[in-house]
Amino acid sequence: MQASNAFKAAFLQKMLEGLQLGLQTSENMSLAERKEVVKVSSDVAMAFARGGANWSRAIITNLSKEGKTKSLVRTMLGKDVERFNKPSHTSKKVTTKKILKRSYRIRRTVRKSFASGLTRSLVKKRTQVLKRIVPGGDSLNDELSFLGETLDYIVSLKAQVHLMQGIANAVDALNRR
């Protein structure tokens, strides 16, 4: 699964805008401060390009709370920062009588064994770890929507790495001239 060209274009445009805004006074900045500007610009651009995903709102919210990055995030997003800081609507579990009856029927027919219990506990532990890694994952209770958010986040991270490698290669090629 790959990110769309529209996502990549929006990501690249917003990242370059963030780099221009954040590195305007790069002569006075230390290497660590420049690295932070690149990281924040990249994260904000990725979240902006993705739009209304739960993880993208979590990234924007977290970065706009921090003192050092707050002004850069607000400058990059302008009026859109308020759209990202609004609380997300967490997905609701579907609870109809038909689904509940079917699940109880299945539970009765499935024998609980030690292996299935062990597998279930391992899946639960790994899901909890994954919820701490994915921004905004803690607020999602529905496992299906959480897995969808996780997949979307992974695809976006992959696109972020690909685009940043492209930028690094372009800068390297310019420096060799």
Side-chain angles (χ1 to χ4, degrees):
M1 191 169 203
Q2 290 187 337
S4 68
N5 288 335
F7 170 82
K8 290 179 183 179
F11 173 82
L12 186 59
Q13 179 183 6
K14 195 52 92 170
M15 182 171 171
L16 291 176
E17 179 185 318
L19 290 174
Q20 287 174 342
L21 292 169
L23 298 175
Q24 286 176 346
T25 59
S26 61
E27 301 88 29
N28 303 336
M29 297 175 86
S30 68
L31 179 63
E33 289 172 328
R34 281 186 257 163
K35 282 174 54 176
E36 183 68 17
V37 167
V38 171
K39 182 185 180 312
V40 169
S41 296
S42 177
D43 286 346
V44 170
M46 180 178 66
F48 178 82
R50 180 52 186 98
N54 193 40
W55 62 263
S56 65
R57 281 193 299 275
I59 286 176
I60 298 293
T61 302
N62 290 340
L63 289 175
S64 63
K65 287 180 183 175
E66 296 176 18
K68 296 177 183 176
T69 61
K70 186 177 186 176
S71 62
L72 180 60
V73 172
R74 291 197 177 274
T75 307
M76 282 180 69
L77 295 178
K79 295 176 184 176
D80 289 329
V81 76
E82 299 306 322
R83 178 176 57 116
F84 282 96
N85 283 333
K86 289 181 181 176
S88 66
H89 302 289
T90 56
S91 59
K92 297 178 183 178
K93 289 187 179 182
V94 177
T95 54
T96 62
K97 290 180 182 180
K98 211 178 215 184
I99 294 173
L100 287 174
K101 284 181 184 179
R102 189 180 319 143
S103 68
Y104 288 131
R105 214 176 317 133
I106 291 170
R107 284 183 188 169
R108 276 185 258 138
T109 58
V110 175
R111 252 181 66 199
K112 290 187 177 181
S113 67
F114 177 74
S116 69
L118 181 64
T119 303
R120 198 174 300 116
S121 68
L122 282 174
V123 168
K124 188 174 183 177
K125 285 180 185 177
R126 289 180 180 169
T127 303
Q128 289 171 347
V129 170
L130 193 57
K131 281 187 175 188
R132 286 186 297 227
I133 294 171
V134 175
D138 295 335
S139 65
L140 293 172
N141 297 327
D142 181 24
E143 288 181 18
L144 186 60
S145 63
F146 170 69
L147 289 175
E149 286 280 332
T150 303
L151 179 64
D152 186 46
Y153 182 60
I154 290 169
V155 168
S156 298
L157 284 175
K158 188 176 177 182
Q160 181 184 30
V161 168
H162 180 72
L163 287 170
M164 290 183 78
Q165 283 176 337
I167 291 171
N169 290 341
V171 169
D172 188 40
L174 286 174
N175 288 337
R176 289 185 187 198
R177 286 185 185 177

